[in-house]
């Protein structure tokens, strides 16, 4: 090989090497750009996730938000904020107020044993029967079943007073009332299932929509405020004409108002003989 050909070959080899180095450098640059872009996207995704998490943490809960909603009061409720729920005896000069928590097992026991008698006295016009509903167990054990059930009862009261009364009875029944620690009333589908055992509420689409949409959530918050005004420490609690009465004293108070358990009058007559 001539000296000239040898030099040209070397030059061509150097040019190929330089070209290959340039291509490799370009590939390395692109790879670095991709890695940087992926890293930036990863950082942004993490930051976005953290930001979203912080935003969600700072969002008000359903019941905090309910306080800012427009107040919608159920039909058949009375009073400035619709918190006056009367279950009978509207024209009577005497008043019995009942304070309950819908998750309360003692309230369920009372309603199952004496609720019918208490309601009968009101139906007979012996006294005005008013109901106050609170959320003591929600506050103590956590959960939202007490509040959610109040809201559902508001939906029932919006249908009729009778629907409210029967639904209230069903929620406290042995069949449907859950254990205190079991927050089943927080589940709208469960509340609707219970309502479907009340003829007036069965498959009522308007009622179901109100339950699912929380139409009466703000009203529920007003009911809780009304309950707190009673300064009640535990449930069930009772006031007769504004005076706090212990549960064991209630039968005597009812008797004074002319209400006795079925068969009690016959027993009294027999004792006199």
């Amino acid at each position: 090989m001539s000296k000239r050909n040898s030099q040209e070959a070397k030059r061509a080899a150097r040019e190929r090497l330089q070209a290959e180095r340039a291509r490799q450098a370009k590939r390395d640059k692109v790879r670095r750009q991709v890695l940087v872009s992926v890293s930036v996207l990863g950082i942004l995704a993490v930051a976005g996730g953290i930001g979203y998490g912080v935003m969600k943490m700072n969002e008000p809960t359903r019941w905090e938000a309910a306080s800012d909603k427009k107040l919608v009061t159920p039909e058949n409720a009375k009073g400035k904020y619709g918190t006056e729920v009367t279950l009978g005896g509207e024209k009577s000069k005497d008043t019995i107020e009942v304070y309950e928590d819908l998750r309360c097992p003692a309230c369920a026991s009372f309603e199952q044993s004496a609720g019918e008698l208490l309601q009968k006295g009101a139906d007979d016009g012996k006294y005005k029967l008013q109901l106050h509903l609170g959320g003591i167990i929600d506050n103590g054990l956590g959960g939202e079943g007490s509040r959610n059930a109040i809201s559902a009862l508001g939906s029932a009261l919006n249908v009729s007073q009778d629907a409210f009364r029967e639904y209230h009875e069903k929620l406290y029944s042995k069949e449907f009332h859950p254990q205190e620690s079991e927050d089943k009333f927080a589940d709208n589908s469960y509340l609707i299932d219970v309502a479907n055992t009340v003829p007036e509420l069965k498959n009522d689409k308007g009622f179901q929509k109100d339950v699912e949409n929380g139409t009466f959530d703000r009203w529920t918050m007003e009911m809780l405020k009304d309950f707190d005004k009673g300064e009640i420490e535990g449930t069930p609690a009772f006031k007769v004409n504004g005076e706090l009465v212990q549960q064991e004293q209630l039968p005597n108070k009812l008797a004074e108002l002319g209400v006795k358990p079925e068969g009690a009058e016959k027993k009294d007559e027999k004792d006199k003989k």
Side-chain angles (χ1 to χ4, degrees):
M1 178 183 293
S2 67
K3 184 176 180 180
R4 181 179 178 183
N5 289 339
S6 176
Q7 291 175 341
E8 289 179 353
K10 289 179 180 180
R11 185 174 65 253
R14 285 196 300 271
E15 289 175 351
R16 287 196 299 272
L17 181 60
Q18 289 173 349
E20 178 59 30
R21 286 176 176 172
R23 285 194 293 271
Q24 184 61 45
K26 187 175 182 180
R27 286 195 294 268
D28 291 344
K29 182 179 180 181
V30 170
R31 184 167 61 84
R32 286 195 300 272
Q33 289 174 336
V34 170
L35 289 173
V36 169
S37 298
V38 169
S39 298
V40 169
L41 287 174
I43 292 170
L44 290 174
V46 171
I50 293 171
Y52 179 76
V54 170
M55 180 183 72
K56 295 299 287 183
M57 287 175 62
N58 289 330
E59 280 186 359
T61 66
R62 169 188 171 183
W63 299 104
E64 288 171 341
S67 297
D68 296 324
K69 291 175 68 174
K70 180 181 178 181
L71 176 62
V72 179
T73 60
E75 294 289 337
N76 308 300
K78 298 179 180 179
K80 183 178 180 181
Y81 299 106
T83 56
E84 187 178 319
V85 178
T86 304
L87 302 182
E90 286 87 348
K91 295 180 180 180
S92 176
K93 62 181 179 63
D94 294 305
T95 301
I96 293 182
E97 297 172 83
V98 182
Y99 291 78
E100 294 179 330
D101 184 320
L102 283 155
R103 289 176 67 185
C104 168
C107 297
S109 179
F110 168 78
E111 287 292 342
Q112 290 163 21
S113 62
E116 186 176 351
L117 178 65
L118 192 64
Q119 183 62 60
K120 184 179 184 304
D123 291 341
D124 291 343
K126 302 294 185 181
Y127 44 77
K128 180 191 296 184
L129 181 60
Q130 291 186 325
L131 182 64
H132 305 270
L133 297 170
I136 294 175
I137 294 178
D138 280 0
N139 295 335
L141 294 183
E144 56 181 316
S146 297
R147 288 167 290 183
N148 205 39
I150 295 172
S151 186
L153 274 168
S155 302
L157 188 58
N158 196 54
V159 175
S160 76
Q161 191 179 65
D162 287 340
F164 177 95
R165 284 166 51 168
E166 191 169 351
Y167 189 38
H168 172 263
E169 181 182 339
K170 291 288 186 178
L171 289 171
Y172 275 126
S173 68
K174 289 182 180 179
E175 183 178 3
F176 296 115
H177 196 268
Q179 296 293 320
E180 184 177 8
S181 58
E182 193 176 3
D183 197 21
K184 291 182 76 171
F185 288 164
D187 182 358
N188 286 336
S189 62
Y190 184 75
L191 292 173
I192 289 172
D193 286 344
V194 177
N196 280 333
T197 66
V198 177
E200 201 170 349
L201 299 178
K202 186 174 182 179
N203 298 322
D204 185 315
K205 299 303 180 184
F207 165 81
Q208 293 176 4
K209 183 178 179 181
D210 284 338
V211 172
E212 291 166 347
N213 292 344
T215 300
F216 298 103
D217 283 0
R218 167 67 193 280
W219 174 78
T220 296
M221 303 307 289
E222 296 300 331
M223 288 290 285
L224 296 176
K225 292 177 186 176
D226 169 74
F227 180 93
D228 290 342
K229 289 176 183 177
E231 298 182 344
I232 298 300
E233 295 181 358
T235 53
F238 311 90
K239 288 183 179 180
V240 178
N241 294 327
E243 179 188 353
L244 188 63
V245 172
Q246 298 302 315
Q247 185 171 344
E248 59 269 21
Q249 298 173 314
L250 187 60
N252 289 335
K253 289 292 183 180
L254 290 178
E256 290 173 9
L257 295 172
V259 180
K260 294 182 180 181
E262 188 175 346
E265 292 180 2
K266 294 180 180 180
K267 183 178 182 300
D268 289 343
E269 291 177 3
K270 184 178 179 180
D271 289 343
K272 287 179 182 178
K273 293 178 181 179

